[in-house]
Amino acid sequence: MKRIVYYVATTIDGYIAGNHDSIDGFVSEGAAVDKYLNDLKEFDTVIMGRRTYEFGYAYGLEPGQPPYPHMQHYIFSNSLTLENIHPKVHIRPPDLDFIKNLKKEKGTDIYLCGGGLFAGWLLDQELIDILKIKLNPLIMGEGIRLFGDSKKKYKTKLLHQKTYDHQLSILEYKLLYH
């Protein structure tokens, strides 16, 4: 079965973005960022919420286009409407059965891209298998939390960790739900 891998940049205090979606202070270059970009080539499917998809607009993403051209994109939203949608972009209402079926399909693991609220919802449903954190040497104090409003408590198992230049570390955890 395919795993859902939440591969995300976060601050030491657990924020994936600051107020107004700010990512000021996040490391944006160097060996760890290169590793992340190279790792993304290993996925054929990405899932995300509406806010994460729309976040890309500020960085040149055209509405309806795929941010990762080699992947199938599933954007989960009850309100997003787009014209001129690329064949690799699919908008769906949040649907646990659909996500569970995605995990059963042939292919690579599934990349969960950003989105604290969406990630928190998936965590609450025990659907995230791997958490890969790009841990930035930064305390933000407020913003978008790694798992949104989720209050669930789970143990994890550290699978791998490495610190790169700019003091950016990549930590990989398996989530232990039971």
Side-chain angles (χ1 to χ4, degrees), residues 5 14 24-26 35 60 69 80 82 84 97 109 125 153 156 166 175 177:
V5 179
D24 292 344
F26 279 78
K35 177 180 177 18
L80 182 63
L82 299 169
N84 303 316
D97 289 331
D109 286 339
Q125 306 306 316
K153 294 181 182 180
T156 61
H166 306 291
L175 279 91
Y177 292 113

Side-chain angles (χ1 to χ4, degrees), residues 80-141:
L80 182 63
T81 57
L82 299 169
E83 296 178 13
N84 303 316
I85 297 178
H86 189 279
K88 288 190 174 187
V89 175
H90 314 280
I91 302 169
R92 303 198 44 91
D95 180 344
L96 291 174
D97 289 331
F98 181 83
I99 294 169
K100 289 175 183 176
N101 285 330
L102 264 183
K103 291 180 73 165
K104 293 177 186 174
E105 291 179 359
K106 289 185 180 180
T108 68
D109 286 339
I110 300 165
Y111 170 43
L112 168 54
C113 181
L117 289 176
F118 185 58
W121 179 68
L122 291 173
L123 180 73
D124 287 348
Q125 306 306 316
E126 300 183 358
L127 287 173
I128 298 172
D129 301 288
I130 301 292
L131 174 61
K132 285 185 89 167
I133 293 176
K134 295 176 289 178
L135 186 61
N136 283 261
L138 174 67
I139 295 173
M140 196 161 272

Side-chain angles (χ1 to χ4, degrees), residues 1 6 16 19 32 40 45 50-51 53 58 60 133 142 154 156:
M1 183 175 291
Y6 187 21
I16 61 173
N19 288 334
L40 290 184
T45 303
R50 176 192 55 81
R51 286 197 63 219
Y53 183 74
I133 293 176
E142 58 186 347
Y154 298 107
T156 61

Side-chain angles (χ1 to χ4, degrees), residues 17-35:
N19 288 334
H20 312 290
D21 298 333
S22 170
I23 55 172
D24 292 344
F26 279 78
V27 176
S28 62
E29 61 183 18
V33 174
D34 293 343
K35 177 180 177 18

